[in-house]
Amino acid sequence: MFKSKVKILQLAITLLACAFLFVPIILSVLAGLTANYFRGISSGLTLKWVFEVWDLYANSIFLSLWLAIACLVCTLIIGLPAAYGLARHPGWLSRLLEEFISLPLAIPGLALALALLQLYGSMKGFRTSWTFILVGHVLYTLPFMVRSILAVLASMDLKTLEEGAASLGASPWQRFRDIVVPNAMPGILAGALTVVTLSIGEFNLTWMLHTPYLKTLPVGLADSYASMRLEIASAYTLVFFILIVPLLMAMQWASARAQRITQ
Amino acid sequence: MTLRLTHTAKTYPDGTKALLPTDLAVGRGEIVSLLGPSGCGKTTLLRIIAGLETPDAGSNIWFDDDNVTSLPVERRQVGMVFQSYALFPNMSVRANIGYGLKMQKLPKPEIEARVTEVLEMCQLQPFASRAITALSGGQRQRVALARAIAPRPRLLLLDEPLSALDASLRETLRDELAILLREFDITAIFVTHDQDEAMAIADRVAVMSHGHVVQSGTPEELYRNPMSAFVAGFVGNAMPLQGNADGITLHLDGGALTLPANGAGQTVFVRAEDVRIGDDGPLRGKVETVTFLGTHYRIGISGITPNTIASIHTGQNAPRVGDMIHVAIKPETLMLLPQEADLA
Amino acid sequence: MTNRTFVMACLTPLFIFSILFLALPIVRLFMASGEGDAGWAVYVDILRKPRYLNTLVLTVLVSLATTFAALVVSTTAGMFLVRNRFTGRGTVLSVLTLPLAFPGVVIGFLIILLGGRQGLVNQLTPGHVVFAYSAIGLFLGYLYFSIPRVLLTVMAAAEKLDPSLEEAARTLGASPYRVVIDVIIPGLMPSLVASGAIAFATAMGAFGTAFTLATNIDVIPMVIYTEFTLSANIAMASALSIVLGIITWILLLIARSLSGSTVAGGG
């Protein structure tokens, strides 16, 4: 009796939480597809707003995709060897370095952006280039890439595997290429999807670092929330959902897979 | 290939002396086992030979006439079988075995041919395209061996190659490994803490303790003529007979024994198979435990020395716990060894 | 190249990047905080001037409320989802973790759709019910952000709870209520503290949500933003950033030492 009552209460809270999270999403999707949201669905469904969003913001969408890819390349170039280095050279210095590069997870993006602006803001060529935003994105996503790979590397007996390869004549570089990278693949994949997902959705740093000519998708969203009619803002949000939700699902799948390997 | 180590030692940065200065020579085609309890330095010695550990200054390692002391592992042309096998999980059996050949930049057809040859020798053909994770422990062990042998190394090194296996499988694979190693006709060194394994596989056994080689010889030599109490105890489980030696007589709690030589200042050892239970024995003791082991009984006897001594008894029936019995030990089976100096 | 040089070479790009774009900028930020008219006393001003102190208090209060609510909702839902298998469970789980990838601005907009002038609540209820732009809206926005993160942490911990502990308590005569108090809550405690710290820290530093919603109220991230862009009070903006950064960093350090991992922060 007591148990079933508790269960009903639990179920109620769970469903209420679902409603709280999901109803606004439905509202947003509907608003983006309704001819006139103020008059309601009866005004008819339309793709007009979505097309209008495309006209207004296609550039920001492409910029975000471009930034995400560039960010992925950078985090791979920096993060993959670094994760290997940290895994092969455990010790207080590595712990400290890992802790240090994880700071952007803890410190609000706004504070990091202010820091970057004050040091590099006066370098006009850099400040107004897309690479300035890229630096922010790499700063924020790098710890995710490093940790994702590090978790997989730490779960296997990397040292012995490498000694095995070395005894067969493989040089450090060949061992990295033939043994480390293939075995770290689940972590690399999970890290890569996380980096792309986070980069496309990054707002806090980007808002401070962007220039009027370089608006990313989330910056454009903020812009449309402030200055466009509700239908356009919603349609733009819908476009964002269409982009981000599959990425999120792929990321969750890859992370779960990498986690299974590390256990 | 012949291997020669001179004055080879290893001190860790924290000051631990893992290996005291050691000299070792291994002849062409010889199979040598490094035997000792854990922490005796045997694995360190093996890893120094492989090039996986850097020895202290002054150490020298010779492969034939080449001084390889400063050569990194990847250029020493050694084959190594690791305790955990260290098989690459991202490669198939075939790719694992072919990896060393690929590193030598051999042409593809030759790699294929040599991998096939090794697969056949190790009876691994049915598993060639399997993933490593789809293999049993015994199969993995053979892949590890095949992978180490495929590049035709100058020297084969094996680090506790059987310890990751079940006890029942270990015995079968031990004999199989002994046959394979002779078939390969290669100079090999393998590390083990199991005396049976060392004796079954090796031509020569080097017993190690506290960072140095205490005795080296054929299994028979070590068993019959141990030069120290440690070797007598570790190889063949000899038991000390604690008593007072008076010339050639040893006085024990349970009676007196005749020694083959003057026992003053020596410790007397005997093996369980040389302790005979019979009515004519000069020693008297009490049966404490009787363990039936199929081919024989193992009987624990108290009252002869302060500690219990064991006897291997091969009769159809055994005395019962609590029985008072007579025990005989032939003088020629007793081993007189210098009293144990502190080795630490 | 020896092994050691190779490993060192692998760490070099990371080292250079983090010096150039993390260490030096943070040092610069700290220096900048002392370069204003007040000098280093700017840190005292945060506690002395009512504008900053009130903002700090409000931010802490909203963040605390968010943390508490997120813990209650997510623990209840998380335990329910771990212990029960039913059709639609996967869907419920997907819905509850979907917002993980939403930036704060989007969440702010979703709250506007709920409680704004054209929002659902205002349309369904008689009278004028608009709460999106108040502290309640901010609270709901932060809650929206935190529920999925706390949920995942709690569920991961709940799945590792040994069911035989509960069974043992039952055989010893404990009621279901006592089992929750004596076995489940203590078992989940490290992950509750950890995810609570994460929820609190992200709420303290959330800029995107505040940017969309906090038009009438001040929270720390908005004050930093306005001090920097509108008042050009760079020293104060920097000082507040440093203080905020230290608070969130310490909280997440605690969280990580307890749970061993962090679910995506930001916002």
Side-chain angles (χ1 to χ4, degrees), chain B residues 62-242:
Chain B
W62 300 82
F63 285 8
D64 288 328
D65 294 327
D66 309 327
N67 188 330
V68 298
T69 317
S70 56
L71 222 53
V73 51
E74 60 264 30
R75 288 172 51 206
R76 281 199 191 180
Q77 290 174 278
V78 293
M80 181 136 176
V81 176
F82 291 81
Q83 190 170 4
S84 61
Y85 308 142
L87 296 174
F88 308 136
N90 55 312
M91 299 179 195
S92 67
V93 169
R94 186 173 266 280
N96 261 283
I97 297 175
Y99 188 75
L101 301 167
K102 209 171 97 185
M103 289 301 107
Q104 293 180 350
K105 302 210 163 50
L106 293 182
K108 270 233 168 74
E110 195 182 340
I111 295 181
E112 285 301 305
R114 282 191 33 195
V115 170
T116 308
E117 184 193 342
V118 175
L119 280 169
E120 254 167 53
M121 274 181 97
C122 299
Q123 295 168 349
L124 283 165
Q125 306 98 311
F127 315 109
S129 50
R130 284 226 191 141
I132 295 304
T133 43
L135 298 181
S136 71
Q139 289 159 357
R140 284 180 202 208
Q141 199 261 341
R142 263 184 290 165
V143 175
L145 184 65
R147 185 181 72 174
I149 212 76
R152 296 187 186 148
R154 305 174 77 176
L155 176 66
L156 182 64
L157 303 168
L158 306 100
D159 184 8
E160 303 260 7
L162 298 167
S163 68
L165 300 168
D166 294 338
S168 57
L169 197 58
R170 206 178 299 159
E171 218 162 300
T172 332
L173 286 181
R174 186 181 74 195
D175 301 340
E176 199 181 294
L177 184 62
I179 296 167
L180 272 176
L181 286 182
R182 285 179 174 78
E183 229 172 281
F184 296 145
D185 188 26
I186 189 173
T187 311
I189 299 179
F190 86 96
V191 154
T192 180
H193 63 270
D194 180 345
Q195 48 146 329
D196 294 339
E197 219 172 279
M199 297 211 189
I201 299 174
D203 299 324
R204 188 152 62 90
V205 178
V207 182
M208 293 187 68
S209 168
H210 292 94
H212 65 158
V213 176
V214 287
Q215 191 178 350
S216 150
T218 63
E220 290 89 343
E221 276 166 18
L222 289 175
Y223 193 84
R224 300 212 174 109
N225 295 310
M227 275 151 58
S228 66
F230 176 78
V231 175
F234 200 78
V235 180
N237 304 316
M239 301 168 289
L241 293 175
Q242 291 162 14

